[in-house]
Short mmCIF file of all heavy atoms in Angstrom, two decimals:
data_model
loop_
_atom_site.label_atom_id
_atom_site.label_comp_id
_atom_site.label_asym_id
_atom_site.label_seq_id
_atom_site.Cartn_x
_atom_site.Cartn_y
_atom_site.Cartn_z
N GLN B 35 -20.58 -7.32 -25.25
CA GLN B 35 -20.74 -6.34 -24.18
C GLN B 35 -20.50 -7.00 -22.82
O GLN B 35 -20.98 -8.11 -22.53
CB GLN B 35 -22.14 -5.74 -24.22
CG GLN B 35 -22.35 -4.74 -23.10
CD GLN B 35 -23.38 -3.70 -23.44
OE1 GLN B 35 -24.01 -3.73 -24.50
NE2 GLN B 35 -23.58 -2.75 -22.54
N LEU B 36 -19.72 -6.30 -22.00
CA LEU B 36 -19.41 -6.81 -20.67
C LEU B 36 -20.43 -6.28 -19.67
O LEU B 36 -20.60 -5.06 -19.55
CB LEU B 36 -18.00 -6.37 -20.26
CG LEU B 36 -17.59 -6.68 -18.82
CD1 LEU B 36 -17.51 -8.18 -18.57
CD2 LEU B 36 -16.26 -6.01 -18.48
N HIS B 37 -21.09 -7.19 -19.00
CA HIS B 37 -22.03 -6.78 -17.96
C HIS B 37 -21.35 -6.92 -16.62
O HIS B 37 -21.34 -7.99 -16.02
CB HIS B 37 -23.29 -7.64 -18.02
CG HIS B 37 -23.91 -7.63 -19.38
ND1 HIS B 37 -24.38 -6.48 -19.97
CD2 HIS B 37 -24.09 -8.61 -20.30
CE1 HIS B 37 -24.86 -6.75 -21.17
NE2 HIS B 37 -24.68 -8.05 -21.39
N TYR B 38 -20.73 -5.83 -16.19
CA TYR B 38 -19.91 -5.90 -14.99
C TYR B 38 -20.78 -5.67 -13.76
O TYR B 38 -21.15 -4.53 -13.43
CB TYR B 38 -18.78 -4.87 -15.06
CG TYR B 38 -17.80 -5.03 -13.94
CD1 TYR B 38 -16.86 -6.06 -13.95
CD2 TYR B 38 -17.82 -4.18 -12.83
CE1 TYR B 38 -15.97 -6.23 -12.90
CE2 TYR B 38 -16.94 -4.35 -11.77
CZ TYR B 38 -16.02 -5.38 -11.82
OH TYR B 38 -15.14 -5.56 -10.78
N LEU B 39 -21.12 -6.75 -13.11
CA LEU B 39 -21.98 -6.68 -11.92
C LEU B 39 -21.24 -7.21 -10.70
O LEU B 39 -21.81 -7.82 -9.81
CB LEU B 39 -23.26 -7.50 -12.16
CG LEU B 39 -24.11 -7.08 -13.37
CD1 LEU B 39 -25.31 -8.00 -13.53
CD2 LEU B 39 -24.57 -5.63 -13.23
N ASP B 40 -19.92 -6.93 -10.68
CA ASP B 40 -19.10 -7.36 -9.55
C ASP B 40 -18.53 -6.12 -8.85
O ASP B 40 -17.40 -6.12 -8.38
CB ASP B 40 -17.98 -8.28 -10.06
CG ASP B 40 -17.39 -9.13 -8.93
OD1 ASP B 40 -17.96 -9.10 -7.81
OD2 ASP B 40 -16.37 -9.80 -9.16
N ASN B 41 -19.33 -5.11 -8.78
CA ASN B 41 -18.88 -3.82 -8.26
C ASN B 41 -18.57 -3.82 -6.78
O ASN B 41 -17.77 -3.00 -6.31
CB ASN B 41 -19.91 -2.75 -8.58
CG ASN B 41 -20.04 -2.55 -10.07
OD1 ASN B 41 -19.14 -2.01 -10.70
ND2 ASN B 41 -21.13 -3.03 -10.67
N ALA B 42 -19.19 -4.72 -6.04
CA ALA B 42 -18.89 -4.77 -4.60
C ALA B 42 -17.48 -5.33 -4.37
O ALA B 42 -16.89 -5.10 -3.32
CB ALA B 42 -19.92 -5.61 -3.87
N ALA B 43 -16.95 -6.04 -5.35
CA ALA B 43 -15.58 -6.54 -5.23
C ALA B 43 -14.59 -5.44 -5.56
O ALA B 43 -13.69 -5.14 -4.79
CB ALA B 43 -15.36 -7.74 -6.14
N THR B 44 -14.78 -4.83 -6.72
CA THR B 44 -13.99 -3.65 -7.06
C THR B 44 -14.72 -2.92 -8.16
O THR B 44 -15.38 -3.55 -9.00
CB THR B 44 -12.54 -4.00 -7.47
OG1 THR B 44 -11.73 -2.81 -7.34
CG2 THR B 44 -12.43 -4.52 -8.89
N SER B 45 -14.65 -1.60 -8.15
CA SER B 45 -15.34 -0.84 -9.18
C SER B 45 -14.43 -0.61 -10.37
O SER B 45 -13.21 -0.73 -10.27
CB SER B 45 -15.77 0.52 -8.62
OG SER B 45 -14.62 1.29 -8.35
N GLN B 46 -15.02 -0.28 -11.50
CA GLN B 46 -14.22 0.17 -12.64
C GLN B 46 -13.80 1.62 -12.40
O GLN B 46 -14.26 2.26 -11.47
CB GLN B 46 -15.01 0.00 -13.93
CG GLN B 46 -15.26 -1.48 -14.27
CD GLN B 46 -13.97 -2.28 -14.35
OE1 GLN B 46 -12.91 -1.75 -14.71
NE2 GLN B 46 -14.03 -3.55 -13.98
N LYS B 47 -12.86 2.10 -13.24
CA LYS B 47 -12.30 3.44 -13.02
C LYS B 47 -12.62 4.36 -14.18
O LYS B 47 -12.41 3.99 -15.34
CB LYS B 47 -10.77 3.37 -12.90
CG LYS B 47 -10.22 2.18 -12.14
CD LYS B 47 -10.71 2.06 -10.72
CE LYS B 47 -10.26 0.78 -10.09
NZ LYS B 47 -11.02 0.44 -8.87
N PRO B 48 -13.10 5.56 -13.90
CA PRO B 48 -13.38 6.51 -14.98
C PRO B 48 -12.08 7.07 -15.57
O PRO B 48 -11.05 7.10 -14.89
CB PRO B 48 -14.16 7.61 -14.29
CG PRO B 48 -13.74 7.55 -12.86
CD PRO B 48 -13.41 6.10 -12.58
N GLN B 49 -12.16 7.50 -16.80
CA GLN B 49 -10.99 8.08 -17.47
C GLN B 49 -10.39 9.22 -16.63
O GLN B 49 -9.18 9.39 -16.58
CB GLN B 49 -11.39 8.58 -18.86
CG GLN B 49 -10.21 8.93 -19.77
CD GLN B 49 -9.32 7.73 -20.02
OE1 GLN B 49 -9.78 6.64 -20.35
NE2 GLN B 49 -8.01 7.89 -19.85
#
Side-chain angles (χ1 to χ4, degrees):
Chain B
Q35 178 153 3
L36 172 66
H37 306 299
Y38 188 76
L39 302 177
D40 200 8
N41 295 289
T44 200
S45 67
Q46 293 305 329
K47 321 301 173 197
Q49 193 61 48

